[in-house]
Amino acid sequence: MLNQTIIVGRLVKDPELDVTDTGKKMSRITLAVPRSYKNSNGLYDTDYIDCKLWTGIAETAATYCKKGDLIGVRGRIQTATVEKEKRKKKRTEIIAEKVTFLSTKKNDSEE
């Protein structure tokens, strides 16, 4: 069996570095990934995919990546059950094994 995925998208917001109770560094990011086909209105829909980064990958992303940057993430899909307001919900996210920094978003002042 195989659980491996690769996605390429733009960061929705700046990554923030958190430290868990056990002292591990972690960051959660969301990538905006446009679909490769148009919807019935002739527009491309976008999926927002949550990713979790650990230790060195989390530190590097928090230091060098900003909102709008194009990055690639290779990792595995993981689901977890989260209880919120006495209701159980499933959370699906990608656990990053490798992050590739592809390009930065150009500032309006650079054009």
Side-chain angles (χ1 to χ4, degrees):
M1 288 178 247
L2 180 65
N3 181 358
Q4 189 87 97
T5 187
I6 298 172
I7 60 170
V8 175
R10 294 204 179 271
L11 284 170
V12 173
K13 65 177 189 170
D14 292 350
E16 295 179 15
L17 191 63
D18 293 323
V19 179
T20 65
D21 295 338
T22 60
K24 285 184 87 172
K25 294 179 181 172
M26 186 265 295
S27 180
R28 289 184 191 272
I29 61 171
T30 301
L31 291 183
V33 181
R35 294 184 183 171
S36 61
Y37 55 89
K38 294 180 180 180
N39 62 21
S40 59
N41 297 325
L43 302 171
Y44 292 100
D45 288 325
T46 301
D47 293 305
Y48 296 91
I49 301 173
D50 295 327
C51 303
K52 188 186 288 185
L53 289 60
W54 289 100
T55 57
I57 296 171
E59 287 181 87
T60 303
T63 302
Y64 296 105
C65 293
K66 301 289 180 234
K67 177 182 176 179
D69 287 353
L70 185 67
I71 65 171
V73 174
R74 187 189 76 207
R76 68 182 189 280
I77 298 172
Q78 180 173 297
T79 58
T81 303
V82 180
E83 192 168 325
K84 189 174 185 179
E85 298 174 10
K86 297 184 180 182
R87 297 180 73 192
K88 289 185 178 181
K89 290 188 173 189
K90 257 193 183 171
R91 178 186 185 118
T92 302
E93 60 192 353
I94 295 175
I95 306 301
E97 296 168 355
K98 181 177 173 81
V99 173
T100 304
F101 309 104
L102 300 172
S103 71
T104 57
K105 183 180 178 187
K106 288 185 179 180
N107 293 332
D108 292 335
S109 61
E110 290 180 7
E111 294 178 14

